[in-house]
Amino acid sequence: MPLRIRRYFWLIIKILKYSLIGSLEYRFQTVVRIVRMFIESFTVLFIISTFFQKSQTVAGLSADTVILTYAIFNLIWATLYFFISDNLIDLGDVIRKGDLDFFLIKPVDIQFMISSNQMHPQNIVRMLIGIVIALYAVSSAQISITPLYFIIFTMTAFSSLLIGYSLLLFISIFSFWTFSNEIYELANTSFSMARYPLEIFPKNVVTIMTIIPMIFISTVPSRVLLGHVDYLTFIAPLIAVITFASSRYFLFFALKRYSSASS
Amino acid sequence: MNKLGVVIKMAVADELIYRTDILIFVLAGVIRPIVMILLWLAAINSGAKTPFSKEEFIQYYLLVMFVDIVVGVWSSPFISAKIRSGRISPYFIRPFNYIFFDLGNNIGEKIFKFLYLLPILAILSWAFHANPINFNIVILLVFLLSLINAFAINYLLDICVGLFAFWIDDIEALRETNDLLGLIFSGFIFPLAILPIFVQQVALILPFRYTLSFPIEILMGKLSNAEIITGLGIGTFWTMAIVMLTVLIWRKGIKKYSAMGD
């Protein structure tokens, strides 16, 4: 067992190394992407500031809460994109080009193969931006985080990572049956809702977002940092495991049908 | 013009295969404006002072959904792929032949998008209790004029970006920059009226406003006659400038391409 894990770890290092070389090769593109990250952050912060120009609270939330939720979303999404970049989005192309058959015969777990083709190391900048903004929001709200809360936060953050990954995987599995990547576009814009604290949205939207566990991605971890811990915090890891297991099960379900169709 | 009609008909027939994908695309396209409406409504309910009223925000974003589909373009990845793979060579003799096919595909796909969008817009207007727009025939004509201008600018900018494939390996970065600037300065994410005054003045002279915000401002009655005329002038200027730029890039690109290929 330990040998297997070491193999995956070694693979990740290799892929990271080659992705880094690739980023340096296409230097202009990397620079533009990084500049774009800053512009995106400024734009969202600007929008948030216009909400709070004349009032202290919006829908019962202070500016710091909204900024913190956005920063956490950035951090988690950037971490996700650091490791899996566009690989799951491109799953449709992988299948259509026939590369999936090639992946299936490799001695490595297929879910790992389709998730880890390429990495986008420039997302480290986005992660740092998220951390800086989060630190600013927390200090502005004058909250001191105890080690206990930080540990709980880490737990919810990891749950968010897992949930975000599983949802992405779940959506990309649909490309086994559809011809294009449009459903990913739909999911992307839905995820963009998750970067705001969900108290802003009407009740039925929030219920939907809890069932499709998007609420956990950003709202829950940022609530923890601000000192609010509720039942959602503690079921987050459970939801994460359930979501991960379901999407993995869905993947193998799709693969079973795939193999029998092509041969 | 008849040629264009034929190409459009071909494109519609082609796009029938993708009718579900187009539906999903249209749905995806309306989500972000809906989220923005919800955000602004929540902000106003909590007492934020904004340049637009609740009804105006709702009207604005519904119009954004509409105009965004009208002026939508997606040609640059295809042009750059054709240039890099060499498959652009047959079009050298008659460069405008390629634009015909591309335009045909663009308009053909839009017919489908509208088939889906109009019912969706109707449902959303009812759900948000949107106010009907007051307009007379003059405003409508000016609006249509500005729409044509908007599409021209958007389309030609996209073609220009694609044509840079004659020089750059991967135009993704350029395309993303264009998209990002467009997102902010065209008014897709938020109405330009909420920007600080000096930024608004920059936005006035950039071409992006004329691809989305300007037609909407006309229809919502937010502009005086003088502002409309000035806007049309600036918009036309940009169209002509980008046309010249496109032709220039095309000619220079062909020269470089031929020199490398043979």
Side-chain angles (χ1 to χ4, degrees):
Chain A
M1 227 10 177
L3 218 70
R4 283 261 183 86
I5 297 180
R6 218 185 323 153
R7 175 197 292 179
Y8 287 106
F9 183 69
W10 173 80
L11 270 173
I12 292 178
I13 301 284
K14 278 263 163 170
I15 297 173
L16 190 57
K17 180 175 124 186
Y18 288 124
S19 303
L20 212 75
I21 295 177
S23 289
L24 290 174
E25 189 68 29
Y26 288 100
R27 234 163 290 176
F28 180 62
Q29 186 175 48
T30 311
V31 168
V32 167
R33 289 216 167 119
I34 294 181
V35 169
R36 184 196 166 142
M37 289 173 195
F38 280 102
I39 296 182
E40 268 173 357
S41 297
F42 280 137
T43 313
V44 175
L45 287 177
F46 170 70
I47 296 179
I48 296 177
S49 73
T50 49
F51 292 158
F52 290 95
Q53 245 167 19
K54 297 282 164 48
S55 63
Q56 284 284 74
T57 62
V58 168
L61 302 162
S62 69
D64 303 315
T65 317
V66 181
I67 293 177
L68 183 63
T69 313
Y70 167 69
I72 302 290
F73 178 84
N74 231 7
L75 181 59
I76 293 183
W77 214 246
T79 316
L80 214 54
Y81 260 73
F82 182 92
F83 286 106
I84 66 172
S85 74
D86 296 324
N87 302 322
L88 287 176
I89 312 172
D90 295 336
L91 184 60
D93 294 332
V94 166
I95 294 174
R96 280 186 288 273
K97 278 195 283 189
D99 283 339
L100 187 63
D101 299 322
F102 187 56
F103 287 171
L104 280 167
I105 60 176
K106 297 245 177 197
V108 179
D109 182 64
I110 184 68
Q111 186 175 352
F112 179 82
M113 284 269 9
I114 61 176
S115 310
S116 65
N117 239 338
Q118 196 191 30
M119 299 186 180
H120 277 174
Q122 65 264 19
N123 278 291
I124 191 99
V125 176
R126 232 203 294 181
M127 285 162 66
L128 287 172
I129 295 179
I131 293 178
V132 167
I133 299 180
L135 286 174
Y136 159 77
V138 167
S139 71
S140 171
Q142 290 173 328
I143 309 243
S144 51
I145 306 175
T146 64
L148 173 67
Y149 271 86
F150 189 73
I151 293 176
I152 301 181
F153 166 73
T154 322
M155 184 181 79
T156 50
F158 272 118
S159 310
S160 300
L161 266 176
L162 213 53
I163 292 177
Y165 168 71
S166 309
L167 286 176
L168 272 177
L169 177 62
F170 191 84
I171 290 158
S172 31
I173 294 176
F174 281 102
S175 49
F176 272 95
W177 300 292
T178 68
F179 280 119
S180 80
N181 297 331
E182 296 300 350
I183 204 150
Y184 187 79
E185 191 59 43
L186 182 61
N188 217 9
T189 40
S190 312
F191 283 139
S192 68
M193 276 202 270
R195 69 176 86 168
Y196 303 105
L198 294 182
E199 286 89 341
I200 294 184
F201 302 110
K203 278 290 172 202
N204 25 11
V205 176
V206 179
T207 328
I208 300 177
M209 297 272 263
T210 319
I211 299 178
I212 313 169
M214 286 200 243
I215 196 172
F216 295 96
I217 296 183
S218 187
T219 309
V220 170
S222 46
R223 273 192 209 164
V224 172
L225 275 183
L226 292 169
H228 306 303
V229 172
D230 56 14
Y231 74 98
L232 283 173
T233 322
F234 291 107
I235 67 173
L238 182 64
I239 301 282
V241 169
I242 295 178
T243 322
F244 182 76
S246 320
S247 51
R248 185 173 168 83
Y249 180 76
F250 190 40
L251 173 66
F252 283 102
F253 170 79
L255 278 173
K256 217 190 320 180
R257 291 188 147 199
Y258 171 79
S259 302
S260 36
S262 71
S263 46
Chain B
M1 267 301 118
N2 198 20
K3 263 195 283 184
L4 191 59
V6 169
V7 176
I8 294 178
K9 270 193 221 154
M10 278 168 47
V12 169
D14 274 342
E15 296 297 331
L16 262 174
I17 307 175
Y18 299 104
R19 56 189 186 278
T20 324
D21 297 317
I22 296 179
L23 172 63
I24 297 175
F25 176 85
V26 172
L27 284 174
V30 305
I31 287 190
R32 205 176 255 158
I34 293 179
V35 172
M36 292 310 294
I37 292 180
L38 292 173
L39 285 173
W40 286 116
L41 287 183
I44 295 180
N45 280 339
S46 305
K49 297 287 184 300
T50 49
F52 277 23
S53 68
K54 259 198 245 188
E55 295 77 26
E56 285 177 320
F57 270 122
I58 294 175
Q59 232 177 32
Y60 180 83
Y61 282 108
L62 288 174
L63 283 173
V64 163
M65 294 178 208
F66 177 76
V67 178
D68 187 55
I69 298 275
V70 171
V71 303
V73 293
W74 50 85
S75 315
S76 55
F78 297 104
I79 297 183
S80 71
K82 281 199 158 63
I83 290 177
R84 278 180 299 129
S85 67
R87 279 183 289 143
I88 195 125
S89 306
Y91 297 103
F92 281 164
I93 311 171
R94 290 189 294 161
F96 300 105
N97 200 356
Y98 179 74
I99 299 247
F100 256 0
F101 279 103
D102 197 66
L103 256 181
N105 165 269
N106 192 298
I107 299 178
E109 207 169 297
K110 277 186 188 151
I111 293 179
F112 272 98
K113 290 185 178 166
F114 272 114
L115 278 175
Y116 293 125
L117 181 71
L118 294 174
I120 294 177
L121 273 183
I123 296 175
L124 288 173
S125 305
W126 167 80
F128 281 115
H129 311 294
N131 290 350
I133 309 169
N134 300 328
F135 56 87
N136 52 48
I137 198 76
V138 175
I139 298 240
L140 192 60
L141 283 173
V142 176
F143 171 68
L144 287 173
L145 201 67
S146 64
L147 267 189
I148 298 175
N149 200 11
F151 176 68
I153 296 179
N154 223 15
Y155 185 71
L156 290 169
L157 261 180
D158 198 48
I159 301 261
C160 276
V161 166
L163 288 179
F164 267 97
F166 279 124
W167 292 276
I168 306 180
D169 267 336
D170 190 356
I171 59 152
E172 272 309 297
L174 206 60
R175 203 176 59 83
E176 283 177 19
T177 314
N178 186 31
D179 284 348
L180 186 62
L181 286 175
L183 265 183
I184 301 177
F185 286 107
S186 69
F188 182 76
I189 304 186
F190 47 75
L192 295 177
I194 73 164
L195 286 169
I197 300 289
F198 54 92
V199 183
Q200 275 191 54
Q201 285 172 339
V202 172
L204 268 178
I205 53 176
L206 287 177
F208 303 103
R209 170 188 180 229
Y210 304 94
T211 65
L212 189 73
S213 177
F214 184 60
I216 297 179
E217 289 168 43
I218 294 179
L219 202 59
M220 284 177 70
K222 291 237 150 212
L223 300 173
S224 69
N225 289 342
E227 285 172 328
I228 294 183
I229 296 180
T230 324
L232 283 175
I234 303 182
T236 318
F237 161 75
W238 274 113
T239 310
M240 293 197 301
I242 301 180
V243 166
M244 292 199 294
L245 184 67
T246 314
V247 173
L248 184 72
I249 296 181
W250 174 266
R251 293 215 179 117
K252 287 215 152 171
I254 293 185
K255 256 190 239 171
K256 177 170 207 279
Y257 181 88
S258 307
M260 282 176 65
D262 317 297

